Amino acid sequence: MRIIDLRGKRLTRAEMLEAMPRAEMGTNEASELVRPILDDVKARGAAALRDFGEKFDHIRTKNLRVPDEAMQQALDELDPEVRAAIEESVRRSRAVAASQVPKDFHTDLAEGARVSERWIPIDRVGLYVPGGKAVYPSSVIMNVVPAQTAGVRSLAIATPPSRDGDDGLPSKTILATCAILGVTEVYAVGGAQAIAMFAYGARGSEPQDGEILCDPVDKITGPGNIFVATAKSMVSGMVGIDAVAGPTEIAILADKDADPSWVAADLIGQAEHDELAGSVLITDSEELAAAVQKDLDYRVPRTEHAERVATSLTGRQSGIILTDDLDQSVAAANSYAAEHLEIQTADPDAVVPRIMNAGAIFRGPYSPVPLGDYMSGSNHVLPTGGTARFNSGLGVHTFLKPVEVIEYDEQGLKALASRINAFAVSEDLPGHGECVLSRFVDDPYDKATLQEQERKAGLR
């Protein structure tokens, strides 16, 4: 791994941000490829989805919407140990999600003057579950559980066809997970074309599709590759999205007390995802850095996806950041704003409150990132690429809209009418004030007598 040496340097905020290792996304090139896909799916619906599935997934899917019996069969055939693990993950995720549900509230500002806030679930959401180099039933759980807990009425999942099957259906493990969660609307559609289907809806092209294959959604969530991320960005505004996700990443903030073999294993674990995955060690211990490098040399060739891991660890998005002390390590961690931040220091409880920017914080050596990926009860759909500086991970809040309810009676409005008018006139929007005054005076448009009218009405 390359070394980024910050020792002895006093960097400005801009310089610190610039020093952080990042992957190059190449979104301009992706946009040129994605736009025709979006347009074609919008125009031709299911016919375009089948064409793109054949082009990119090398299979022409008969049943774009997965039949119910296929999901039940997948559940019946699921390995009992895997099923038990999935069900435990669901149980823990539901427990945490239930605690996230915000409560409605109201504020009484005066007699007859109340503002309330309601949390309203989004009506219909499309949940994207990636395929590619791995199968992600865990992402089904992370998307579905908070949406169900929020009270979303209509859930649809899109996920690519399995590369191991010849029926054009998604991974059986993913289908079984959908069955466990009670999700029945599942599509064997991946990539940018799935995002187009969610955004625009898709008319059927074959009898098994029905007239409408898929209705459009109100919001799209879930991670994916650069084409999925670009498609989400391009339809954003017409539909809501959770975030534009980049390659996954880990930062480990560690000191001399950290176990180098554990740190090395955790860096490898994240690098296994993708050649563009970011693995970053932030430490003030040169000795730890050297020990981790040595451990990586030993471990990387022995892991199953050694070539992928090696490419990730030696890429520009990965590296070891050397700092002067813990203070500079914390500053670097906050600048990097990792999707996953592990803290492996002598006193992690002193460090956690100082972290302002992270998708999720994994405190101590026994809270590695895979715990959050599968079983901790937290959500693993998290902000990437430094966006944790201003964004948060997926949760119940992602699927809720806070809506204020304004409840003023006659007396409540009357107490403010004259002041509202003055404010409106100051903004050169007199019609705003006249709207309010019309409820209390005879002629709000007669400016010569308006003050007298206000006095008679008890507004002054």
Side-chain angles (χ1 to χ4, degrees):
M1 295 178 74
R2 68 188 179 113
I3 300 294
I4 301 170
D5 196 343
L6 302 184
R7 293 174 298 179
K9 298 177 181 177
R10 299 189 61 175
L11 302 179
T12 65
R13 175 177 168 81
E15 289 169 338
M16 180 69 91
L17 292 171
E18 182 66 25
M20 297 299 106
R22 300 287 182 203
E24 288 186 351
M25 288 289 288
T27 53
N28 290 337
E29 296 85 351
S31 296
E32 294 175 3
L33 295 171
V34 166
R35 172 49 65 190
I37 296 173
L38 298 179
D39 291 343
D40 199 12
V41 172
K42 184 178 182 180
R44 297 197 298 126
L49 294 174
R50 286 189 170 89
D51 288 347
F52 287 123
E54 187 170 20
K55 179 178 181 179
F56 298 125
D57 299 314
H58 311 297
I59 190 164
R60 192 168 187 87
T61 301
K62 177 182 178 182
N63 292 301
L64 291 172
R65 179 163 176 170
V66 178
D68 292 345
E69 55 269 24
M71 287 192 282
Q72 186 58 51
Q73 181 181 349
L75 181 57
D76 293 340
E77 296 175 357
L78 186 63
D79 181 292
E81 287 193 14
V82 176
R83 178 169 182 166
I86 290 170
E87 289 176 340
E88 179 62 15
S89 177
V90 170
R91 186 188 71 79
R92 290 172 180 259
S93 294
R94 288 202 193 282
V96 173
S99 298
Q100 291 181 341
V101 178
K103 291 180 171 56
D104 295 351
F105 68 86
H106 69 266
T107 304
D108 290 322
L109 297 157
E111 186 70 30
R114 170 177 287 186
V115 175
S116 307
E117 185 167 89
R118 294 177 55 213
W119 289 89
I120 302 175
I122 292 169
D123 187 57
R124 176 166 165 79
V125 299
L127 312 175
Y128 187 78
V129 176
K133 297 181 175 66
V135 174
Y136 294 103
S138 55
S139 286
V140 178
I141 298 169
M142 301 298 165
N143 278 274
V144 170
V145 168
Q148 289 179 331
T149 304
V152 171
R153 179 190 62 83
S154 178
L155 296 173
I157 286 178
T159 190
S162 172
R163 296 184 176 184
D164 299 328
D166 56 5
D167 56 4
L169 296 181
S171 154
K172 290 187 176 182
T173 309
I174 285 179
L175 295 183
T177 306
C178 291
I180 288 170
L181 289 162
V183 178
T184 58
E185 187 180 349
V186 181
Y187 297 92
V189 181
Q193 59 269 30
I195 304 305
M197 177 186 72
F198 281 153
Y200 306 125
R203 297 186 66 83
S205 63
E206 297 185 7
Q208 64 271 26
D209 299 339
E211 182 180 355
I212 301 296
L213 173 71
C214 178
D215 283 319
V217 304
D218 301 311
K219 190 168 189 176
I220 302 170
T221 71
N225 63 20
I226 187 172
F227 301 104
V228 170
T230 301
K232 285 172 68 178
S233 177
M234 294 175 77
V235 301
S236 174
M238 190 185 73
V239 294
I241 64 170
D242 53 346
V244 178
T248 190
E249 63 202 22
I250 184 177
I252 303 175
L253 195 166
D255 61 16
K256 62 182 179 60
D257 294 301
D259 185 319
S261 63
W262 293 5
V263 171
D266 293 358
L267 293 170
I268 290 170
Q270 205 64 24
E272 182 179 40
H273 277 284
D274 189 272
E275 288 85 352
L276 290 176
S279 294
V280 176
L281 170 61
I282 303 170
T283 184
D284 59 358
S285 171
E286 193 170 1
E287 293 75 17
L288 175 70
V292 168
Q293 291 271 37
K294 183 177 179 181
D295 249 292
L296 289 173
D297 292 340
Y298 168 71
R299 288 171 177 267
V300 170
R302 302 180 67 206
T303 194
E304 181 172 348
H305 302 294
E307 185 176 349
R308 186 190 308 164
V309 169
T311 301
S312 168
L313 292 178
T314 55
R316 59 169 288 149
Q317 74 277 10
S318 299
I320 297 175
I321 299 175
L322 289 176
T323 65
D324 286 318
D325 51 29
L326 182 61
D327 288 343
Q328 194 179 36
S329 290
V330 169
N334 281 323
S335 294
Y336 184 64
E339 177 188 16
H340 310 91
L341 175 64
E342 289 187 1
I343 297 176
Q344 298 192 35
T345 60
D347 186 3
D349 289 332
V351 177
V352 169
R354 301 178 63 187
I355 300 301
M356 299 294 108
N357 302 323
I361 300 170
F362 296 79
R363 176 217 170 275
Y366 293 98
S367 301
V369 166
L371 175 66
D373 286 341
Y374 300 115
M375 206 72 68
S376 69
S378 62
N379 202 294
H380 78 203
V381 182
L382 300 166
T384 60
T387 60
R389 289 167 38 231
F390 52 82
N391 210 349
S392 62
L394 201 73
V396 172
H397 59 276
T398 306
F399 302 99
L400 292 169
K401 302 172 294 183
V403 177
E404 292 181 328
V405 179
I406 295 87
E407 307 171 69
Y408 274 57
D409 63 14
E410 180 180 359
Q411 188 55 44
L413 180 61
K414 186 175 183 179
L416 297 177
S418 183
R419 290 179 177 176
I420 292 172
N421 182 61
F423 212 147
V425 170
S426 76
E427 293 190 342
D428 194 25
L429 294 170
H432 284 55
E434 292 156 2
C435 161
V436 173
L437 292 175
S438 291
R439 286 154 170 79
F440 304 104
V441 304
D442 293 332
D443 187 359
Y445 305 97
D446 184 355
K447 305 305 180 185
T449 66
L450 185 56
Q451 288 193 11
E452 180 60 28
Q453 291 184 71
E454 288 180 347
R455 274 193 289 272
K456 286 183 178 179
L459 304 184
R460 288 181 172 269

